[in-house]
């Protein structure tokens, strides 16, 4: 919005969940974007001493829109609301999994290089995901959804070779 410049918290991330990278060297935040202002609607990477390293720069919202998963009516009020995040190693690669409460999907990023995460894909979930857990030993990802009251179980998360 035009008035965002005059708002002291415009673009603030407002993390709703955090996770460590699989090697424990970086912190990931699920940036819900709690205010009715731009910014803070994806996920970020931080050093362990709190220095900002990277964020998706709106990529998750853009890709959700391309796939028809973006809730247009929420643009002015928090957008997709990234609500939960986890990270895990599957095979030789590290991944971040960020769930969108209002878009009802999980965004998957390759974070093998946490300084430059790479988008992998977006997968739909039940309605209103709140949390996510990775189970690498079973090659699974499980998403808990508040609104539909379901679990979405995603198998074959990555090639284990």
């Amino acid at each position: 919005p035009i008035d965002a410049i005059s708002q002291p918290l415009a673009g603030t991330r407002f993390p709703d969940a955090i996770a460590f990278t699989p090697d424990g060297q970086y912190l990931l935040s699920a940036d819900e974007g709690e205010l009715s202002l731009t910014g803070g609607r994806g996920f970020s990477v931080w050093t362990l001493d709190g220095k900002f390293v990277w964020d998706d720069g709106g990529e998750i919202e853009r890709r959700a829109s391309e796939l028809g998963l973006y809730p247009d009516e929420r643009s002015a009020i928090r957008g997709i609301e990234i609500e939960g995040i986890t990270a895990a190693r599957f095979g030789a690669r590290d991944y971040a999994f960020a769930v969108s409460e209002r878009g009802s999907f999980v965004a998957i990023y390759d974070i093998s290089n946490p300084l430059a995460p790479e988008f992998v894909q977006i997968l739909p979930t039940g309605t209103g995901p709140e949390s996510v857990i990775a189970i690498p030993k079973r090659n699974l990802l499980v998403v808990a959804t508040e609104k539909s009251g379901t679990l979405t179980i995603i198998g074959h998360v990555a090639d284990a070779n």
Side-chain angles (χ1 to χ4, degrees):
I2 287 177
D3 66 348
I5 294 172
S6 66
Q7 301 295 320
L9 297 175
T12 302
R13 290 176 174 83
F14 288 96
D16 224 26
I18 59 171
F20 286 100
T21 55
D23 65 5
Q25 297 302 303
Y26 292 89
L27 191 65
L28 309 174
S29 62
D31 304 330
E32 185 178 39
E34 194 63 39
L35 293 180
S36 300
L37 299 168
T38 57
R41 295 177 173 179
F43 84 96
S44 300
V45 180
W46 306 85
T47 63
L48 295 180
D49 61 356
K51 292 185 179 113
F52 170 76
V53 173
W54 179 91
D55 73 18
D56 71 282
E59 180 179 36
I60 297 174
E61 286 198 322
R62 285 191 301 278
R63 291 189 182 267
S65 180
E66 291 167 2
L67 294 169
L69 296 172
Y70 183 84
D72 287 328
E73 70 283 357
R74 304 234 356 128
S75 285
I77 51 168
R78 299 181 290 281
I80 58 173
E81 287 192 48
I82 296 297
E83 190 79 14
I85 193 160
T86 195
R89 175 164 284 175
F90 285 85
R93 307 195 76 60
D94 293 340
Y95 294 94
F97 306 93
V99 294
S100 165
E101 180 180 14
R102 301 300 176 180
S104 298
F105 63 79
V106 59
I108 303 170
Y109 277 76
D110 182 327
I111 58 167
S112 297
N113 176 1
L115 303 178
E118 295 179 24
F119 175 80
V120 175
Q121 67 181 334
I122 287 178
L123 297 172
T125 65
T127 307
E130 287 283 322
S131 63
V132 57
I133 188 167
I135 310 169
K137 288 183 180 181
R138 300 230 175 183
N139 208 21
L140 296 173
L141 184 73
V142 181
V143 179
T145 55
E146 180 180 53
K147 198 162 189 174
S148 62
T150 61
L151 296 175
T152 300
I153 301 171
I154 301 167
H156 304 286
V157 173
D159 183 2
N161 295 328

